[in-house]
Amino acid sequence: MKDKNFNTLIKKLQFCEHCGFCRSVCPFLEASNMEESVGPRGRKTLFLSLFENKVQPTPRLAQKFYMCGVCRACAVKCPQGIDISEVSVHARHKIIKASALNPFMKKVADSLVKEVKNGDIFGAAATKAKWAENINMSNNSDTVFFASCMDTSMAYGELLVDVLEKFGWAENTLMSLSGLAQKPGINMLFDKFLARKSDFYRKSLVNTVKLLNKLNVRFSYLGSEEPCCGAALHTYGLLDEFAEHAKNVYKIFKEKGVRRLIVHNPICGGVFKAEYPSYVDGWDIEVKHVIEVVAEAIENNGINLRLPEPAKVVFHDPCYLARFMDVVNEPRVVLKAIENLELIEPPNSKRETKCCGGGGVELIYRDVATRAAVNRVSELNAGNPDIISSCCPVCALMIKKGIKNLKLNVKYIDIVDLVTDSLSMT
Amino acid sequence: MNLKVAQTLRKIVGEDNVLELLEDILPYTLDASIIYRGVPTCVVRPHSTEEISEIVKFANEQRIPVIPRGAGTNFVGAVVPSNGGIVIDLTGMNRIIEINPANLTCTVEAGVVHAKLESELAKYGLYWPPDPGSSDACTMGGVIAMNAGGMRALKYGTTRDWVLSLKVVLPNGEVIKTGSKTFKGNAGYDLTRLFVGSEGTLGIITEATLKLRPIPEAENRISAYFDSIEKAGAAVSKIYMAGIVPAAMELMDRGIITAVSKWLGKKFPDMDAYLIVSVDGLRSEVETLSNKVEQVLKESGASQVLRATTKEEFDEIWLIRSEGATALPNITGKMNVTHDVCVPINKLPEAFKTIREICNKYGIPVAIVSHAGDGNVHAIFSVNLQDPEESARAKKAHDEMCRYIIKIGGTISGEHGIGIDKAELLVEEVGPVVMELMRAIKRVFDPNNIMNPGKMGL
């Protein structure tokens, strides 16, 4: 299946007219002052040269393909519909195979392979189900709420990025040390230390459960047995590992009788919906974002929603929600249904949304990612909103970073938290 | 790269702005012509006119070719470093220096993207009329150096008509200003118009002051089908003869209609040509003009004449135009190779017929998109560029088409320029005397021939 994807991509690339429209939407090209070799069109040229053996895989070449957030903005813009994000993924695969990553990126790859298998990309498997300890869930349903290790453990990711930003000169050592957190004892300690940061991300999970209960949706939660979706393996170019992992995940789902997944993190939802069908024969699991469920309820039955205080809200469409899950209208249906909330549309929205600067770039090319975040937050803030809302843990991380860099007063609140806050007043 | 060259360039623009590794420079070996390639000695990314002046001065002393480059969206190989040399990437110089609504002017750096300028000007209710199809990607330096056109050229002219003044680095490193920021200017030879369309062969444009217009109050679009492309071409002249100058007249032939129909799974009338006429101006004026256009189209044998006045209706009738380039390769399984010629408007019917005949003779599928209102014809060849024999046949068809166009009083390029692609044909159009004059002009500016050598046959 993977080869089929690769062959389709090569065939489509023959139609590329080198028009450069992809240049106009790439957030990382913009953050790199438009330098051709780190933009989608430049990457296309390098990709073809790599597979024609005209250029050798080197760490410098790797930089071009890893400075891509795999956000698919270029795919939407391309008149031929060529997904240049896929170019990055397949080039990374070849570069990894040729052992041409620099030591730091190699450590990241090794860590991902190990941690995804263990069930948590940040190595916090021991505490990933902690958020649900005192929460009432219906269970015994073939519909499963997939909580996502990125949501449960994003505080670890945030800490890692922060530390790497401050002590980038020691990135190899820091990456080695990050592996320590995976030991259950240390994981527990870390979890206490990170409690405040974790609450920020985990709150949306708690609220998702509240919302689903309020809407009488029956669902189960797999708890500590919930696997990692493996999205990071795919985007990092660890395609063989991803193919194997995806099959295992499917097996787990089947053993548990899962027929339908409800996600909060659109990265997991996006990879289940857009990538798993190419890697898992017979993939038959329906995937929905919680905001689709809420929008359906609003359209079918109407729900009274009212924000405690009037607020202007701008919604940032996460790439994975808009371009991988094809969910663009539902967040608007939901936000427009909330009284006291004035919804403003930012430049670059829906399928044309601009990446927050994440997509893995935040871990490796921190400066570029931060500039991309600042660019996106500047756009989001153009209409002077009180709140920037979205629903992806990586977007949350990067938008907070952008807000901090620009010293803005605007708040970041997850859309699920906004809905829950609006519920409690009615 | 020679150590001294590298050291000097790094000293001028800084360590990070000189690229010489293959991984960095490969993307600069080609442009949207795709077929032309050349590896530069290095790529330099300057951030000021002063830096460019120093680079060029040094290159001139060392006799190293210099290739100025914007977004590389041209179709003719104009920024391919075919003789090696230093590619000067201007995309980092992307400031809009001034928008002056009182003077109806703006001043921009060379690397500003056309669409970005358009959106900034719109905030003031203004626009710059030339509208190249590559707007989302192309930079203003490239637009000016290639004298880009677009759909609105029939009413508003091309880039050359909308540039007031330029800042240019000459091949000896001197910085000059051409023209002035005034709407009138009669001080000696018009060097501004000489630099517009000079394809980087005379100097490097680093800044430009442009003439602006208020965005028209209203626009209507009228679409119509014709059972023969010749009739559609004749209708264009009839609109002019009725005293109407529309903002745009876009024509698509059966090849495009069929491809879009198959691609989108949407049924369109089984006709040979589709014409869209756009009229702009004051709301009241636009309504009157639209009525007249509809009448002329019907008298010219059009069927299914439709008028669009809202954005949604615009999008609907524009579908065949906007999806054409995407649909073709997906339906033919071959690549689009877009050619550009221009004929006197009354020769359009004959030109359409003959271009089809020539392509038919060489077995090259062709679809036609034409900015018919200004006689500009884009013949889109479907070619498998991996097949040398097919590519050679396509080249023969292209050259024969160009020679025919010259014969009927047209030109080998309406808006895409000459570059490497049409260098040999240029002399056939302009003749040896004019060609020698062009060479002489080039020698005055660039005696050592360092500026983008090999382009325009120079």
Side-chain angles (χ1 to χ4, degrees):
Chain A
M1 282 299 194
K2 175 165 53 73
D3 293 341
K4 191 181 131 205
N5 284 357
F6 178 76
N7 293 335
T8 310
L9 178 65
I10 291 283
K11 201 174 160 215
K12 286 287 274 182
L13 282 175
Q14 288 174 11
F15 297 158
C16 170
E17 294 177 43
H18 217 71
C19 66
F21 284 12
C22 49
R23 280 173 57 88
S24 65
V25 292
C26 178
F28 300 98
L29 179 65
E30 185 187 24
S32 309
N33 203 17
M34 306 306 284
E35 204 269 279
E36 179 81 7
S37 70
V38 290
R41 188 179 61 175
R43 284 197 290 270
K44 180 216 73 172
T45 303
L46 289 168
F47 174 82
L48 291 174
S49 302
L50 176 66
F51 282 87
E52 287 163 6
N53 293 318
K54 288 180 183 160
V55 64
Q56 294 309 306
T58 60
R60 180 75 181 177
L61 188 71
Q63 180 209 50
K64 316 296 178 190
F65 296 107
Y66 281 87
M67 213 178 274
C68 160
V70 193
C71 75
R72 282 194 178 171
C74 46
V76 169
K77 188 71 184 175
C78 176
Q80 302 305 336
I82 302 166
D83 186 353
I84 318 233
S85 300
E86 277 288 298
V87 160
S88 298
V89 169
H90 286 284
R92 290 169 185 186
H93 180 58
K94 187 166 168 99
I95 289 166
I96 290 171
K97 288 269 172 206
S99 306
L101 291 181
N102 71 27
F104 172 69
M105 287 160 75
K106 174 83 172 58
K107 275 182 201 290
V108 174
D110 292 345
S111 165
L112 281 177
V113 172
K114 197 170 159 193
E115 305 308 350
V116 166
K117 215 174 198 171
N118 288 340
D120 188 298
I121 58 162
F122 298 117
T127 54
K128 67 182 281 188
K130 211 176 147 201
W131 68 277
E133 272 169 2
N134 304 312
I135 295 171
N136 175 30
M137 278 190 252
S138 45
N139 277 326
N140 297 324
S141 168
D142 56 10
T143 296
V144 160
F145 171 48
F146 191 88
S148 167
C149 55
M150 276 189 216
D151 265 321
T152 57
S153 315
M154 196 61 208
Y156 293 76
E158 188 175 330
L159 178 71
L160 182 61
V161 171
D162 282 351
V163 172
L164 283 169
E165 251 182 6
K166 285 192 184 103
F167 307 102
W169 48 270
E171 60 181 11
N172 287 333
T173 316
L174 289 169
M175 204 57 216
S176 304
L177 286 174
S178 76
L180 289 173
Q182 64 196 243
K183 295 190 190 307
I186 298 176
N187 187 177
M188 299 286 188
L189 270 177
F190 255 80
D191 214 65
K192 284 196 177 125
F193 168 65
L194 289 172
R196 229 187 74 210
K197 272 190 197 293
S198 290
D199 283 350
F200 172 82
Y201 296 101
R202 292 176 184 172
K203 184 182 164 198
S204 310
L205 300 179
V206 176
N207 281 336
T208 300
V209 171
K210 271 191 205 168
L211 258 179
L212 292 176
N213 283 336
K214 168 90 182 171
L215 300 175
N216 296 319
V217 177
R218 286 187 56 79
F219 64 95
S220 304
Y221 169 53
L222 301 182
S224 55
E225 290 178 89
E226 178 187 287
C228 169
C229 69
L233 291 178
H234 179 263
T235 52
Y236 210 77
L238 294 154
L239 295 183
D240 300 329
E241 293 79 357
F242 175 70
E244 192 192 330
H245 181 72
K247 286 185 188 88
N248 288 336
V249 170
Y250 182 61
K251 210 170 130 200
I252 294 171
F253 286 159
K254 281 307 197 192
E255 281 167 6
K256 302 274 180 194
V258 179
R259 295 178 67 180
R260 185 180 185 224
L261 293 170
I262 297 176
V263 298
H264 168 264
N265 181 356
I267 300 178
C268 308
V271 83
F272 284 138
K273 208 169 164 181
E275 302 298 347
Y276 269 56
S278 301
Y279 286 83
V280 179
D281 288 332
W283 172 260
D284 55 357
I285 292 174
E286 189 192 345
V287 185
K288 280 205 166 185
H289 192 272
V290 59
I291 219 64
E292 290 180 89
V293 180
V294 179
E296 260 172 45
I298 287 172
E299 283 180 333
N300 293 338
N301 311 315
I303 311 174
N304 291 326
L305 297 167
R306 184 182 167 84
L307 266 187
E309 298 290 332
K312 260 166 88 173
V313 176
V314 65
F315 184 72
H316 163 74
D317 298 84
C319 315
Y320 276 87
L321 187 71
R323 291 193 280 260
F324 288 68
M325 294 192 79
D326 284 326
V327 175
V328 291
N329 293 324
E330 289 80 352
R332 287 156 180 90
V333 168
V334 172
L335 292 171
K336 281 178 186 167
I338 302 177
E339 278 183 52
N340 256 349
L341 185 153
E342 184 192 338
L343 178 65
I344 45 179
E345 285 290 347
N348 301 313
S349 66
K350 300 184 179 172
R351 294 226 338 131
E352 281 81 33
T353 186
K354 191 191 265 184
C355 173
C356 61
V361 182
E362 76 281 8
L363 192 65
I364 302 169
Y365 302 107
R366 276 93 56 183
D367 292 355
V368 174
T370 302
R371 282 199 293 276
V374 165
N375 290 341
R376 180 54 175 160
V377 171
S378 302
E379 285 183 357
L380 293 169
N381 195 52
N384 294 317
D386 305 304
I387 295 164
I388 297 174
S389 186
S390 194
C391 57
C392 162
V394 179
C395 295
L397 169 72
M398 297 312 290
I399 290 172
K400 284 198 297 172
K401 201 179 271 295
I403 292 173
K404 195 175 160 194
N405 266 267
L406 290 164
K407 299 189 174 74
L408 302 175
N409 285 323
V410 66
K411 278 187 280 190
Y412 175 86
I413 302 180
D414 192 284
I415 190 167
V416 167
D417 300 339
L418 271 180
V419 176
T420 322
D421 289 351
S422 306
L423 265 180
S424 57
M425 290 299 291
T426 54
Chain B
M1 178 167 53
N2 167 319
L3 192 63
K4 186 188 160 198
V5 175
Q7 278 174 345
T8 309
L9 294 174
R10 289 203 173 92
K11 211 171 143 191
I12 299 170
V13 293
E15 184 78 25
D16 293 342
N17 292 314
V18 179
L19 311 174
E20 54 176 326
L21 294 173
L22 196 58
E23 297 95 313
D24 295 325
I25 65 175
L26 265 175
Y28 293 89
T29 55
L30 73 167
D31 57 21
S33 68
I34 298 192
I35 53 173
Y36 301 105
R37 308 272 171 132
V39 182
T41 312
C42 67
V43 176
V44 181
R45 307 196 75 233
H47 291 88
S48 70
T49 300
E50 292 70 30
E51 284 181 0
I52 295 174
S53 164
E54 283 188 63
I55 297 163
V56 175
K57 194 173 172 192
F58 170 71
N60 196 33
E61 284 162 10
Q62 302 292 317
R63 306 288 192 268
I64 303 171
V66 167
I67 303 94
R69 178 187 167 109
T73 56
N74 79 87
F75 287 113
V76 292
V79 296
V80 171
S82 40
N83 300 302
I86 302 168
V87 166
I88 300 189
D89 174 4
L90 291 143
T91 55
M93 287 177 63
N94 50 16
R95 288 180 310 138
I96 296 173
I97 296 166
E98 184 197 30
I99 295 175
N100 191 327
N103 285 349
L104 276 182
T105 60
C106 70
T107 301
V108 297
E109 285 189 330
V112 171
V113 172
H114 180 276
K116 169 81 180 160
L117 176 64
E118 200 167 51
S119 68
E120 290 301 315
L121 291 174
K123 292 176 187 168
Y124 297 83
L126 300 172
Y127 80 129
W128 188 66
D131 58 341
S134 54
S135 172
D136 278 342
C138 65
T139 59
M140 291 309 296
V143 166
I144 295 166
M146 299 304 293
N147 186 29
M151 292 185 292
R152 297 190 281 240
L154 72 157
K155 182 170 179 181
Y156 297 102
T158 60
T159 296
R160 196 165 264 141
D161 304 301
W162 295 92
V163 180
L164 296 173
S165 171
L166 294 171
K167 189 185 269 188
V168 180
V169 177
L170 296 178
N172 63 6
E174 265 188 72
V175 179
I176 60 160
K177 179 183 80 68
T178 70
S180 69
K181 292 188 175 184
T182 56
F183 276 18
K184 281 181 176 169
N186 214 0
Y189 289 137
D190 190 344
L191 294 186
T192 307
R193 285 176 80 88
L194 178 62
F195 274 103
V196 178
S198 63
E199 301 190 8
T201 59
L202 301 179
I204 302 181
I205 298 161
T206 62
E207 258 180 52
T209 298
L210 311 169
K211 190 163 66 169
L212 307 174
R213 280 288 176 267
I215 297 172
E217 181 185 285
E219 183 191 0
N220 280 357
R221 288 178 186 171
I222 298 117
S223 65
Y225 286 93
F226 290 86
D227 60 10
S228 86
I229 194 169
E230 290 88 342
K231 273 189 200 167
V236 171
S237 285
K238 284 180 186 160
I239 286 173
Y240 287 134
M241 288 189 288
I244 306 162
V245 180
M249 287 197 261
E250 296 291 292
L251 189 146
M252 280 63 63
D253 80 341
R254 185 186 289 277
I256 301 281
I257 301 169
T258 313
V260 176
S261 171
K262 281 187 189 162
W263 173 238
L264 297 178
K266 205 174 156 94
K267 207 167 159 42
F268 295 116
D270 180 23
M271 295 293 239
D272 196 41
Y274 181 63
L275 181 70
I276 304 170
V277 180
S278 161
V279 287
D280 67 359
L282 296 171
R283 168 58 59 198
S284 54
E285 175 191 20
V286 163
E287 291 305 318
T288 314
L289 286 173
S290 301
N291 292 338
K292 275 192 184 176
V293 167
E294 284 179 358
Q295 194 190 334
V296 176
L297 289 173
K298 283 174 189 161
E299 285 167 7
S300 307
S303 60
Q304 305 195 42
V305 178
L306 278 178
R307 186 188 302 190
T309 53
T310 64
K311 164 104 180 44
E312 290 70 31
E313 290 169 350
F314 278 9
D315 291 348
E316 183 60 29
I317 69 167
W318 203 246
L319 206 57
I320 293 176
R321 176 73 176 87
S322 60
E323 291 294 317
T326 304
L328 269 176
N330 282 290
I331 296 304
T332 62
K334 297 185 177 194
M335 191 165 162
N336 290 346
V337 180
T338 305
H339 296 302
D340 164 53
V341 292
C342 197
V343 298
I345 293 148
N346 67 351
K347 298 278 185 187
L348 276 173
E350 179 195 330
F352 292 142
K353 186 167 167 277
T354 311
I355 290 170
R356 281 175 165 181
E357 283 168 1
I358 293 170
C359 289
N360 199 25
K361 183 172 113 187
Y362 287 97
I364 300 295
V366 63
I368 290 171
V369 173
S370 171
H371 307 308
D374 53 38
N376 196 181
V377 182
H378 293 315
I380 307 176
F381 291 9
S382 294
V383 188
N384 177 6
L385 291 177
Q386 320 293 326
D387 180 344
E389 185 277 328
E390 190 174 324
S391 300
R393 248 187 304 129
K395 169 91 171 71
K396 278 184 188 161
H398 168 257
D399 290 355
E400 189 169 322
M401 173 180 75
C402 286
R403 290 189 179 108
Y404 156 74
I405 294 293
I406 294 169
K407 205 171 78 188
I408 62 166
T411 173
I412 56 171
S413 176
E415 57 184 7
H416 290 179
I418 301 300
I420 302 171
D421 197 49
K422 290 179 176 169
E424 286 172 17
L425 288 161
L426 179 63
V427 66
E428 293 187 36
E429 177 175 330
V430 301
V433 178
V434 172
M435 198 65 219
E436 187 42 43
L437 276 173
M438 288 194 195
R439 287 198 188 99
I441 291 169
K442 164 84 165 158
R443 279 195 295 273
V444 169
F445 283 89
D446 183 21
N448 298 319
N449 198 20
I450 64 153
M451 286 304 311
N452 209 8
K455 312 297 154 51
M456 290 172 62
L458 301 168

